[in-house]
Amino acid sequence: MSSRSAFGHNPHSTGHVISTARALMRADGLDVSLAAIARDGGITRNFLYSNWKSVSALHLHALKAELAEAFDTAAWARPSDGTVRGIAEHLTEVVRVVRRHPTTAAVARSSPEAFRAAHSATEAPLMQVATERISDLLHPLCPHGGVWGDPALASRPWKILWAARPAALCPEAVGDRTREDTLDNAFAELLRDLLAPWTTGTQ
């Protein structure tokens, strides 16, 4: 089903615009233009510019939606039970979903410099979203206050994200089972090490 038919009743809705951008970015990554989104979505470039100002803003909205979907997909396939082991398994699944996602490969193809920068960037809106989702997953390890109730635990989300990126942002490994297993196992081991202080009493 095309994005236009899915939201045909209101082509100017935010959901329709972001859905259109997401569909296009799965093939063309950051090469998707305002003109392409307008054409595929049945709307005008002026409308897009007046509401989102730039194609980069639309790219970001689309990538945030794709990242949220990756966490949701992983929660369905391998839900966390709130233990260190469950959290590690869930986040390893998130890493696998991101690595195998068509948008990840498309961005790597279309914008190699931006993709390489994502491996080392310390602050960006997309990373903030990922850090917040990781923080939510860690909450059961400190029931009284969550990550903000334990200063040591509060330092873990960004460390986990730092360890996850090399494994997640490696679309060239997709299809090579040995390479993917190596990436996933290495990430899971690092994750268990980072969360080891909270293992006792949570498993």
Side-chain angles (χ1 to χ4, degrees):
M1 178 182 291
S2 71
S3 57
R4 184 179 302 185
S5 62
F7 293 92
H9 62 285
N10 185 5
H12 297 91
S13 70
T14 297
H16 172 70
V17 172
I18 300 306
S19 177
T20 301
R22 290 173 67 183
L24 291 170
M25 288 178 68
R26 291 179 180 189
D28 296 323
L30 299 182
D31 279 347
V32 172
S33 65
L34 276 180
I37 297 169
R39 181 174 59 251
D40 202 67
I43 45 186
T44 66
R45 279 181 290 180
N46 285 341
F47 171 80
L48 293 178
Y49 182 76
S50 65
N51 285 276
W52 282 276
K53 305 306 180 188
S54 70
V55 72
S56 296
L58 276 171
H59 289 164
L60 179 58
H61 279 288
L63 289 171
K64 284 181 177 180
E66 298 287 37
L67 181 60
E69 185 176 88
F71 274 90
D72 292 342
T73 299
W76 178 84
R78 197 173 290 272
S80 170
D81 60 5
T83 67
V84 167
R85 179 176 179 178
I87 292 168
E89 290 178 351
H90 174 74
L91 286 173
T92 301
E93 185 69 18
V94 173
V95 161
R96 188 178 297 116
V97 171
V98 172
R99 182 195 309 127
R100 295 178 177 179
H101 200 285
T103 301
T104 304
V107 171
R109 288 193 307 269
S110 67
S111 308
E113 292 184 3
F115 195 74
R116 283 193 294 270
H119 283 263
S120 57
T122 56
E123 291 185 11
L126 201 60
M127 279 179 253
Q128 292 173 7
V129 171
T131 302
E132 289 169 3
R133 295 295 293 253
I134 294 169
S135 296
D136 290 342
L137 286 167
L138 299 186
H139 191 283
L141 299 181
C142 183
H144 305 292
V147 294
W148 304 118
D150 183 335
L153 188 61
S155 72
R156 292 319 192 252
W158 74 266
K159 292 179 181 179
I160 290 171
L161 181 57
W162 191 264
R165 283 185 293 185
L169 303 181
C170 191
E172 64 272 20
V174 175
D176 184 332
R177 182 173 179 177
T178 299
R179 191 173 179 188
E180 285 204 85
D181 286 347
T182 299
L183 288 168
D184 291 338
N185 291 338
F187 171 65
E189 185 175 349
L190 285 168
L191 187 51
R192 287 191 294 269
D193 287 345
L194 283 169
L195 298 178
W198 295 272
T199 299
T200 302
T202 64
Q203 305 241 49

